[in-house]
Amino acid sequence: MNSILSLFIVLSALGEKPPGVDERVVFLGDSITHNGGYVAYIDAVIRLTGMEKTFELINMGLSSETASGLSEEDHPFPRPCVLERIDRVLKMMKPDTIVLCYGMNDGIYAPLDDERFKAYRKGINTIIRKADAAEAKVILLTPFPFDAVAAGKKGSLAKKGGEVPLGFKAIYPDYDKVLARYSKWILKQGERVSKVVDIRTPITDYLAEKRKEDPDFVLSGDGVHMNAEGQMLTGRVLLKAWDLPEEVVFPGGYYELVRKKMAAQRDGWLAHVGHKRPMKGTPPTLEEAFATAAELEDKINAKLAASSVPATP
């Protein structure tokens, strides 16, 4: 391992930004964020915009996670809660900004309930308070919408009088109304945080427009998790909210390499910071993850050079 990479790993393990990085942005969320498509899309666009300020985007989304600490009775394991790891994220990673997107799992796929809603608000409020204390800016995203059409095709909607309790296996058919209520509350938090971004409305509007021509059109295979198109749409919504170009021409294979690099870093950071979700296999160490990321960075720069696009320093 070369000395520059070793220094990079040491600095990162201490929570320091790499040389040349002005702002570290950490994305926290559930499986939709863990997928990483929208975070990688944002990163891929930013790298090609020629911005004076440089950003390090790190995906720390964790599948099954909530901000409320709640879980279904028949879930395979207690859902992890971001509150269990937020102190370590802030201390070990020292983000300048955290982007929060929770809600899909927090309603537990059941009708609106005052206690569940209260737990969700308490979780988000706790993260804001802790981020403020750590002098990290907060960007709040509304929850993603739930698509009952897609869930119905998948067969995951609860049946009236069914024996399976409400939850991710049997979702309340009007669950999107719960997420709409959660989103309405998120949108009122603008004065408390750096920015609030409504991702729910553009995605819902996009779905409605597409279904005028194709009633079976979906952005999710199960009504919960965004597919590739949904992930990239989310990225475009966020770029627009930040007054950045929504789309640029990517060299062939470029986005895929950026996504692989971010996934490698994500897996290393998740293991390094720690969490409560059971995972398959042995996670990479931070050193292994960064070595993989460095190899992919070389390929990314080679791809850009071959495409006459300036490589990042």
Side-chain angles (χ1 to χ4, degrees):
M1 183 178 297
N2 63 52
S3 58
I4 294 178
L5 179 57
S6 296
L7 175 62
F8 183 87
I9 293 170
V10 170
L11 288 174
S12 293
L14 293 174
E16 302 298 333
K17 293 189 290 289
V21 172
D22 296 312
E23 183 167 346
R24 171 176 280 172
V25 183
V26 172
F27 288 73
L28 293 169
D30 51 39
S31 55
I32 306 174
T33 298
H34 181 88
N35 173 282
Y38 78 86
V39 186
Y41 183 81
I42 295 168
D43 191 56
V45 171
I46 287 177
R47 290 169 65 107
L48 298 179
T49 58
M51 298 175 62
E52 292 184 6
K53 191 174 184 179
T54 58
F55 295 85
E56 180 189 27
L57 273 57
I58 304 175
N59 178 7
M60 286 289 282
L62 183 64
S63 295
S64 307
E65 193 167 65
T66 72
S68 61
L70 303 175
S71 190
E72 303 97 312
E73 292 182 5
D74 63 341
H75 199 268
F77 48 84
R79 288 185 179 275
C81 179
V82 66
L83 299 183
E84 184 276 327
R85 63 185 179 119
I86 187 61
D87 287 336
R88 298 193 302 278
V89 168
L90 293 169
K91 181 178 180 180
M92 299 171 71
M93 302 185 75
K94 298 179 182 177
D96 298 290
T97 299
I98 57 174
V99 181
L100 300 178
C101 186
Y102 288 95
M104 182 62 77
N105 296 328
D106 292 277
I108 311 300
Y109 302 97
L112 184 66
D113 174 84
D114 288 343
E115 289 303 312
R116 285 194 288 268
F117 189 24
K118 181 179 179 181
Y120 174 70
R121 299 196 306 271
K122 181 179 179 181
I124 297 296
N125 287 334
T126 298
I127 298 170
I128 294 173
R129 175 174 55 79
K130 288 178 177 290
D132 285 345
E135 299 183 344
K137 293 180 291 186
V138 175
I139 296 175
L140 285 179
L141 310 185
T142 61
F144 283 86
F146 167 71
D147 185 2
V149 172
K153 293 177 180 293
K154 181 73 172 179
S156 55
L157 291 180
K159 296 177 175 60
K160 191 173 182 179
E163 296 181 359
V164 179
L166 290 174
F168 76 105
K169 294 179 181 178
I171 303 172
Y172 173 53
D174 287 329
Y175 187 56
D176 193 51
K177 292 182 180 179
V178 177
L179 299 178
R181 183 67 186 89
Y182 285 20
S183 294
K184 185 177 180 180
W185 179 78
I186 290 289
L187 290 171
K188 293 180 179 179
Q189 308 310 308
E191 294 184 358
R192 305 175 55 211
V193 297
S194 177
K195 196 174 190 66
V196 174
V197 181
D198 180 5
I199 59 174
R200 171 187 172 79
T201 300
I203 292 174
T204 301
D205 289 349
Y206 185 84
L207 269 173
E209 188 64 27
K210 287 289 188 178
R211 283 178 179 163
K212 289 179 181 179
E213 296 183 3
D214 179 8
D216 292 325
F217 179 83
V218 296
L219 287 171
S220 169
D222 59 5
V224 174
H225 302 92
M226 290 286 105
N227 62 18
E229 184 175 359
Q231 288 277 342
M232 297 185 93
L233 173 61
T234 304
R236 292 197 294 272
V237 170
L238 289 172
L239 287 165
K240 181 179 181 179
W242 295 329
D243 297 319
L244 294 171
E246 298 171 50
E247 295 184 66
V248 299
V249 178
F250 290 160
Y254 162 72
Y255 169 71
E256 291 75 13
L257 287 171
V258 172
R259 186 166 179 175
K260 287 180 180 178
K261 178 192 172 186
M262 295 197 75
Q265 291 175 316
R266 174 202 64 201
D267 293 345
W269 271 115
L270 282 173
H272 182 69
V273 172
H275 57 80
K276 293 294 186 180
R277 189 190 193 282
M279 304 290 269
K280 295 180 180 180
T282 302
T285 64
L286 199 60
E287 181 175 339
E288 292 169 340
F290 279 28
T292 299
E295 293 176 1
L296 289 165
E297 180 68 20
D298 289 341
K299 293 181 180 179
I300 290 169
N301 284 329
K303 179 74 68 175
L304 295 178
S307 305
S308 300
V309 179
T312 55

